[in-house]
Amino acid sequence: MHIRLYFVCFLFVFSSCSNNQVSVKNEKEGKLNSTYQLMVSDEKKIALDSETPTRPPYMQIYTDSTGNRLLTFLNSYKNSIYFYDYDNSSYQKKTVYNREGSDAIMRVAGYYIKSPDSIYVYNMPMTEVDLTNSMGKVKNRISLRTNEPDWPDRYPQYWLKTVNPFIRIGNKIYLTGQTFRSLTMSNIMNFKFTACIDMLNNAIDFRYTYPKEIYSDTNWEDGIATQVYPCLSPDGNLIHSFPASHDLYVCELNSNVITKIYGGSNVATAIHSIDYDEPRKTPGELCLVHYVQQDMYGAIIYDNYRKIYYRFLERGIPNATIQMTMKDKLINVIIMNEKFEYLGETTLGTGKEWNWANSFVTEEGLNIEYLDKNDLDENYLIFKILTLKKLS
């Protein structure tokens, strides 16, 4: 009773305040025609040991010098990267990182395997990228921020996922971060969310800003709506998918040119920011309920084998309550061709079954982690493999 009354009081405050609320309309809602859909064509199961849970926070497909495809993933509990043969699902090896000592990496929260002895690791507590070898020894440490107390107002934080990975372009790696705070007009053009690291000399510069028409002087508190999902296009540009935008933002690497192009869903409705005057004092319960109620876009992935893009959408639950989470939302996959022309979309199921944050493309199709309700002991890492089907 006390919890419910507490929440009702918050709702009263929430509904009685008014700030510069943004409504991002979907101009093509209900007007798009589907010619393709996705269908499950295969399944891959990888046996896990007793110390490895499902929903690993980060993965990378890595092809070794002999041409073998290795599925690598992070075991946060063991602070380790596990290597499995993708084709036969067999365990190969693991790289373990110490949490103490001269080679300490307190918490591995993402990585990029350039070669067996050049693994770039994101050390979350230190907000740094550490260059390591396959034995877990640290060769170099690259800080991504200053030590001033207010650094989160000026430098991004990084919530890396399989669908928000390190991206290598030539001799540089791009690490896409975000702000967990709402942005004001005074700092939105100065806050850049991507760190670009030169692998030859470890020099860093920061690039790309949030669309001010959506994120300036508006309450998008709590980090869900400010997550940025990058994708490398076949012509070498970075595409950014923002949760609150039906559009995509195509950024040319060597210039300041940014092109906005439609990349939305046929069923997504207008997306609203939080109607609460004090962003940094917005109750967490209200943030969560609000985002569960809203349609929110996720990652965009390019399929080089089929020359198409996939973009995820977490569909809103208009009457969502405090008991619900983002995993209760239905997941759609939008399909677009290389020109970002809409081809169709498929509803998978809820986030309780489909962990879309662990998605990647192989020759076989779009791999998405699937949580089997019958696998209560989490004995297997399961991927459903989806392929295109033309509608008759």
Side-chain angles (χ1 to χ4, degrees), residues 331-351:
I331 309 300
N332 273 26
V333 184
I334 304 159
I335 312 162
M336 295 172 282
N337 64 19
E338 283 189 303
K339 297 180 180 179
F340 302 102
E341 295 169 332
Y342 182 89
L343 299 179
E345 62 189 292
T346 300
T347 300
L348 300 177
T350 71

Side-chain angles (χ1 to χ4, degrees), residues 129-140:
V129 172
D130 298 330
L131 176 59
T132 75
N133 64 17
S134 59
M135 302 302 293
K137 301 296 183 182
V138 176
K139 300 178 180 181
N140 206 347

Side-chain angles (χ1 to χ4, degrees), residues 180-192:
F180 282 83
R181 301 172 174 179
S182 298
L183 294 164
T184 63
M185 181 62 78
S186 61
N187 72 353
I188 191 167
M189 298 310 294
N190 295 319
F191 185 94
K192 297 178 180 179

Side-chain angles (χ1 to χ4, degrees), residues 273-315:
S273 60
I274 299 172
D275 186 15
Y276 193 83
D277 274 344
E278 299 181 85
R280 297 191 183 183
K281 297 182 180 179
T282 307
E285 296 89 345
L286 294 186
C287 293
L288 178 58
V289 171
H290 179 82
Y291 292 135
V292 174
Q293 291 174 345
Q294 303 293 309
D295 291 318
M296 303 293 286
Y297 290 95
I300 180 168
I301 299 174
Y302 180 67
D303 186 337
N304 186 56
Y305 301 99
R306 297 157 193 85
K307 312 302 180 185
I308 59 173
Y309 290 97
Y310 310 106
R311 192 186 189 194
F312 291 94
L313 172 73
E314 295 180 308
R315 297 176 63 176

Side-chain angles (χ1 to χ4, degrees), residues 366-380:
L366 175 63
N367 294 241
I368 306 177
E369 185 184 6
Y370 182 77
L371 289 307
D372 190 339
K373 62 182 179 181
N374 296 315
D375 184 22
L376 299 178
D377 295 325
E378 298 186 345
N379 293 317
Y380 294 95

